[in-house]
Amino acid sequence: MRTFAFCALILFTFMMSACSNTTPSGNDYSSALTASSSSFSSSTSTSSSSSSSSGVSSSSLVSSSSEVESSSSSFSETDSLALTWVTIPAGSWTRGTTDITQGLFAITQTEITQADYFAVLDTLPVQKLYGDSLPVANVSWFDAVRFCNALSKMLKMDTAYTYSSIGPGGVLLGIQANYTSESVRLPTEAEWEYAIRAGTTTEYYWGTATAITYAQYASSAGYINVASKRPNAWNLYDMAGNVSEWCSDWYSAYDAVAELSNPTGPSRGSERVYRGGSWNTTAPSLASNARERALPELVADTRGFRVVHFLPYE
């Protein structure tokens, strides 16, 4: 009897120890992201090895947060972040009558989704529609910058943006961008236009094809899952329509910007550039050269962003 009791005690101790070492389920953002369609992040890994005939390649830079867990204490092994990056080759393009040369960089294949945003910042602003694979919207330029810096830290890179203090409403005061460090940041306006054109010179990157097959626009329903439309020639989705996208630059008239190689825009200003048109705009806003601007603290359910993984220019 004593032997049986001792064995039972050992078995009970072992079972309790095993239970205490069970891996927790991790953050559950189902309460923030209500009923949604399948997550695009789960499908990016299947397309990560694809490349286009133009020589532009795409690759999955991060397959799960377990690879970067040590850089962020708020992430558990069950959280995931899968961004597909498309490497854009160095080249040149024409802005009006000005020839611009552009260095190598990588850009996310899709707009940042609500699942992406939550995985990096552990929060989500109020959305018009909720879903893992829907683009995040209602984000200020400052929100997008915070995402870039947080993702840079996760990937153990330098941060692109520095600032002196935080003002009312989360405004980042004295903000400066470092365009020469390897980091995640918003695309410059020049990088963005170079990427949307994908070698085209027509008003729209789809030429004379039907716009609605490439862009979600002129709709009252709102944005749709990223990558639901056809991509451009460099395999980038939703460069036109769905949500318009913040760029890193201060806004200025083009003739005030003298840089002809890797332009980054003016050093100061009052409004930031955003591009691409959105789900509720008309066709002219979808043009590859269409420009818009807004105060960086403003949010809209028509505006989101995508990011660049900057590779220092050679």
Side-chain angles (χ1 to χ4, degrees):
M1 180 64 69
R2 289 182 179 177
T3 301
F4 175 81
F6 178 74
C7 291
L9 178 61
I10 294 297
L11 179 60
F12 176 79
T13 303
F14 174 79
M15 292 175 64
M16 291 299 293
S17 176
C19 290
S20 66
N21 290 329
T22 300
T23 303
S25 61
N27 294 333
D28 179 7
Y29 57 85
S30 59
S31 60
L33 302 179
T34 56
S36 64
S37 58
S38 59
S39 173
F40 178 78
S41 64
S42 65
S43 65
T44 53
S45 60
T46 63
S47 62
S48 63
S49 60
S50 64
S51 62
S52 70
S53 59
S54 64
V56 180
S57 63
S58 61
S59 62
S60 181
L61 185 63
V62 184
S63 58
S64 75
S65 66
S66 61
E67 299 173 16
V68 294
E69 182 184 3
S70 61
S71 66
S72 176
S73 59
S74 65
F75 283 77
S76 74
E77 291 183 355
T78 56
D79 294 321
S80 64
L81 176 67
L83 297 176
T84 298
W85 302 81
V86 177
T87 301
I88 306 300
S92 61
W93 58 286
T94 301
R95 184 180 67 194
T97 58
T98 304
D99 291 331
I100 305 293
T101 60
Q102 195 65 58
L104 181 76
F105 62 96
I107 192 168
T108 50
Q109 189 175 42
T110 71
E111 295 159 334
I112 296 301
T113 66
Q114 293 175 24
D116 297 333
Y117 192 88
F118 189 92
V120 172
L121 294 180
D122 200 30
T123 188
L124 188 70
V126 174
Q127 301 292 292
K128 177 180 176 66
L129 301 168
Y130 289 88
D132 290 11
S133 300
L134 291 173
V136 69
N138 230 30
V139 287
S140 70
W141 185 88
F142 297 114
D143 293 330
V145 162
R146 290 187 185 92
F147 179 94
C148 291
N149 276 1
L151 183 53
S152 289
K153 291 176 181 178
M154 286 176 60
L155 300 177
K156 300 180 181 179
M157 297 178 180
D158 292 334
T159 53
Y161 300 98
T162 58
Y163 50 92
S164 58
S165 60
I166 302 176
V171 172
L172 305 180
L173 303 175
I175 194 162
Q176 298 290 330
N178 186 337
Y179 293 100
T180 61
S181 65
E182 184 171 0
S183 57
V184 175
R185 57 170 171 76
L186 294 173
T188 66
E189 186 178 15
E191 288 168 340
W192 193 95
E193 186 166 338
Y194 182 57
I196 189 177
R197 288 185 176 279
T200 64
T201 58
T202 52
E203 184 176 10
Y204 304 99
Y205 61 78
W206 50 84
T208 57
T210 304
I212 199 64
T213 63
Y214 289 86
Q216 170 72 353
Y217 77 106
S219 170
S220 60
Y223 36 74
I224 59 176
N225 286 349
V226 299
S228 295
K229 302 288 186 174
R230 293 181 181 178
N232 71 2
W234 285 351
N235 209 28
L236 300 174
Y237 292 93
D238 303 308
M239 290 296 291
N242 218 17
V243 291
S244 55
E245 302 173 14
W246 286 114
C247 294
S248 194
D249 304 30
W250 290 110
Y251 175 84
S252 72
Y254 273 152
D255 57 11
V257 181
E259 297 169 289
L260 301 181
S261 177
N262 304 314
T264 57
S267 59
R268 61 181 62 87
S270 59
E271 297 173 302
R272 296 284 182 176
V273 176
Y274 65 95
R275 301 289 298 264
S278 68
W279 53 268
N280 71 344
T281 57
T282 56
S285 296
L286 309 178
S288 296
N289 65 350
R291 309 177 72 207
E292 298 180 271
R293 57 190 178 179
L295 294 171
E297 63 268 28
L298 295 183
V299 302
D301 60 14
T302 57
R303 193 160 53 241
F305 65 103
R306 75 179 70 215
V307 296
V308 162
H309 169 217
F310 174 67
L311 310 172
Y313 298 130
E314 297 179 353

